[in-house]
Amino acid sequence: MSSLPNPAPTVTSSSQAFWNATAEGRFTLQRCTSCDVVVWFPRKHCPDCWTETLSVFDASGKGTVYSFTIIRKVANDYKGATPFVVAYVELEEGPRVMTNIVDCDPESVTVGMPVEMVFHDTGEGNALYRFRPSAN
Amino acid sequence: MSIRGAAFIAGIYEHPGRDLPHHTIWDIHAEVAIGALADAGLSMSDVDALFCDGTAGFGVLTLCDHLGLRPSFVDNTETGGSSYLAHVGHAAAAIAAGKCSVALVTLAGKPRTGSPPVKWAAGPETGFETVWGTASAAHSYALAAQRHMYEFGTTSEQLAEIKVAASIHAQYNPNAFLQNVVTVEDVVNSPMVSDPLHRLDCCVVTDGGGALVIVSPEIAKKLGKTNAKILGHGEAVKHTNNGRIDLTHTGAVWSGPRAFAEAGVSVNDVDYASIYDSFTITVLQTIEDLGFCEKGKGGEFVLDGGLVAPFGKLPFNTDGGGLCNNHPSNRGGITKVIEAVRQLRGEAHPAVQVPDVQVALAHGTGGSLGSRHGSVTLLLGQEDA
């Protein structure tokens, strides 16, 4: 549970800037300059109002667990890491993002628990954003 | 314009095989096509429209070549396991528009004995969803189950009741992959796959396939196959909604009302329902979303044999469903339609045949509750329904 693999993500021209920032320990979000909504996942338009001008800002890295599962058995890169937690974390800024919860006993994870972001280097110029329990 | 009464399902065929090591998927497509046409009293030369999913080679091009068809209308709609219910609605619309009069829908797959999982091209979301270790649909559906439990107090024992009901039905189906009746204890004591889903909360993995023949009213009358009139169809795509995914409901909240409105019937008119059952949670959420009970009360609804045929509140999946009978190609949509037609014809097993079925519902959920899925609801009825 302590050592999850760090597979490199599929990076596209639309997500390149996002993933580049993770190498510096930053999780960036886009905000629509027209309707002000926070956009997730990164793209070149706002899926709420279809404006094509978005601004970028650094997220706080804080959130709460929206839902989670403990994966007991798997046949991919994570085979040796079971049991581990996959979750949706609701960021302070709003979006619910898929991720792992780390640095804790999987059995201790609960819906609603406060978490904070950590970065795990993939060795390919970016890092995976994961979350660990936080005080509040 | 509506498709109500514009078409009938005149032919059905479910491949009896569950392990088919010596078939190609093309063999299966051909066998189920021939079987459904024979059931309708038609032949391959009568077919003027073909519908299949996106997993079959180059789709309709490959299949027309293989089957020797020259249709005037084709459709490759791909919404996962709900595709085939969408195909029925689209076929009815095409028949209503005069584009065709005999539509063939086929499904085939071999997840047990040979077909590697279908590799989809990467989407814009791929980098954000495929690096966290999820490898099967169970992992994603588990996220939906966990949140439903958190918000509404749904329990593993309640989810287990759905599997129990399916197993009670499957004991009468000699082709069912799992034919033993199980208890709530069996389900909750089976190995945890992805919390809170146990192994027995998951559908079976089977080879096989199925086919449907949808025809114009004139042809249905000529064939004497008027038990399964298409009353209404609704579809919807539920997705992550710009980071605001709500894991407590399915796309049935949109596809259901569309289908009921077109059919001009309500949940109270439904005598039998085929509910997509990739996992027990899929059934629970769908029952709520279609309006058979209040949101969050699905766990109570399924207690005390609520889903058990013939006399439960909502007799469901009388073939044993995907949970016990068959989930060919990891897709349960076509078998949902087939069993609904059997119920309308009075051809279900006598032990689970619901008396005097006037209106039957079939619902498909294809893709994933934990990210995005296609939801399709069909309402079928007797000729005078």
Side-chain angles (χ1 to χ4, degrees):
Chain A
M1 79 184 207
S2 54
S3 58
L4 296 181
N6 297 315
T10 300
V11 179
T12 69
S13 58
S14 289
S15 65
Q16 182 80 56
F18 171 87
W19 287 109
N20 287 351
T22 60
E24 301 162 10
R26 292 188 299 121
F27 183 96
T28 55
L29 285 167
Q30 296 168 302
R31 188 188 300 279
C32 176
T33 58
S34 176
C35 75
D36 215 37
V37 75
V38 176
V39 173
W40 179 255
F41 41 88
R43 59 199 101 179
K44 289 178 177 166
H45 65 276
C46 168
D48 278 21
C49 76
W50 304 286
T51 293
E52 293 178 279
T53 313
L54 306 175
S55 63
V56 178
F57 66 101
D58 287 356
S60 69
K62 298 203 174 303
T64 54
V65 174
Y66 172 72
S67 193
F68 73 97
T69 184
I70 305 172
I71 296 183
R72 305 282 172 172
K73 199 174 152 188
V74 82
N76 59 21
D77 292 356
Y78 281 67
K79 190 175 179 179
T82 55
F84 63 94
V85 177
V86 171
Y88 270 108
V89 165
E90 183 173 305
L91 303 176
E92 206 168 55
E93 295 81 4
R96 293 169 181 162
V97 304
M98 200 182 285
T99 187
N100 299 120
I101 307 297
V102 296
D103 298 343
C104 63
D105 178 358
E107 306 288 344
S108 71
V109 175
T110 57
V111 175
M113 77 186 269
V115 290
E116 63 188 12
M117 197 177 286
V118 293
F119 290 91
H120 292 163
D121 188 0
T122 67
E124 297 196 23
N126 47 46
L128 298 182
Y129 46 92
R130 291 179 170 132
F131 291 81
R132 67 184 178 202
S134 71
N136 255 315
Chain B
M1 186 173 131
S2 151
I3 61 167
R4 193 183 201 286
F8 288 73
I9 301 178
I12 53 172
Y13 186 78
E14 178 182 2
H15 201 289
R18 303 292 180 265
D19 272 288
L20 297 167
H22 305 300
H23 285 66
T24 67
I25 68 164
W26 312 112
D27 297 332
I28 301 169
H29 274 289
E31 285 183 23
V32 297
I34 291 165
L37 287 162
D39 178 63
L42 294 167
S43 77
M44 205 70 87
S45 61
D46 297 309
V47 174
D48 60 5
L50 180 67
F51 295 70
C52 67
D53 63 32
T55 69
F58 208 136
V60 291
L61 302 189
T62 305
L63 208 48
C64 284
D65 195 340
H66 180 62
L67 296 176
L69 294 174
R70 290 178 182 78
S72 56
F73 193 92
V74 293
D75 180 331
N76 250 143
T77 296
E78 174 59 86
T79 56
S82 61
S83 301
Y84 323 94
L85 293 100
H87 295 161
V88 173
H90 298 183
I95 290 169
K99 296 286 184 186
C100 56
S101 57
V102 177
L104 174 65
V105 181
T106 65
L107 159 74
K110 282 163 54 76
R112 290 194 72 76
T113 62
S115 297
V118 178
K119 275 280 192 193
W120 303 107
E125 78 290 354
T126 300
F128 306 96
E129 295 181 3
T130 58
V131 289
W132 313 116
T134 56
S136 89
H139 304 149
S140 176
Y141 282 73
L143 292 167
Q146 187 84 263
R147 184 70 196 187
H148 198 278
M149 288 179 165
Y150 174 79
E151 289 201 24
F152 304 115
T154 306
T155 66
S156 289
E157 286 74 15
Q158 290 170 337
L159 290 177
E161 293 282 359
I162 296 165
K163 174 73 165 196
V164 170
S167 77
I168 289 169
H169 300 157
Q171 69 180 312
Y172 302 109
N173 181 350
N175 294 326
F177 188 74
L178 302 175
Q179 295 180 16
N180 293 334
V181 175
V182 299
T183 64
V184 167
E185 290 69 34
D186 291 334
V187 180
V188 299
N189 292 328
S190 65
M192 192 68 91
V193 172
S194 188
D195 302 47
L197 297 180
H198 305 79
R199 180 181 291 163
L200 294 185
D201 285 301
C202 307
C203 63
V204 298
V205 176
T206 48
D207 295 347
L212 309 168
V213 180
I214 299 125
V215 303
S216 65
E218 297 70 32
I219 294 173
K221 286 193 181 84
K222 205 180 299 174
L223 297 169
K225 295 282 188 181
T226 54
N227 295 96
K229 181 164 76 175
I230 297 169
L231 301 178
H233 143 266
E235 57 190 53
V237 174
K238 178 168 181 278
H239 51 68
T240 61
N241 191 23
N242 191 18
R244 296 174 297 231
I245 190 166
D246 181 344
L247 294 175
T248 63
H249 73 85
T250 72
V253 296
W254 302 305
S255 67
R258 288 169 189 157
F260 280 112
E262 185 165 53
V265 301
S266 77
V267 286
N268 298 324
D269 297 312
V270 175
D271 300 306
Y272 164 82
S274 287
I275 307 280
Y276 203 90
D277 55 348
S278 44
F279 299 91
T280 51
I281 185 63
T282 324
V283 177
L284 191 95
Q285 289 202 9
T286 305
I287 288 170
E288 297 173 350
D289 295 342
L290 290 173
F292 288 107
C293 65
E294 205 181 307
K295 189 69 204 170
K297 302 288 190 195
E300 291 170 31
F301 185 87
V302 302
L303 296 177
D304 306 319
L307 300 178
V308 178
F311 301 119
K313 279 173 290 195
L314 182 67
F316 98 129
N317 299 7
T318 40
D319 61 333
L323 289 169
C324 295
N325 170 31
N326 193 10
H327 200 65
S329 192
N330 296 327
R331 287 160 171 245
I334 212 155
T335 45
K336 295 294 164 288
V337 181
I338 289 170
E339 186 67 6
V341 174
R342 289 191 192 113
Q343 281 285 348
L344 283 161
R345 289 179 177 180
E347 292 177 0
H349 188 283
V352 293
Q353 174 68 49
V354 178
D356 190 28
V357 175
Q358 292 297 310
V359 174
L361 177 148
H363 182 86
T365 309
S368 181
L369 289 194
S371 56
R372 54 198 66 75
H373 61 267
S375 177
V376 187
T377 310
L378 281 180
L379 284 154
L380 309 172
Q382 300 290 341
E383 186 179 5
D384 54 2

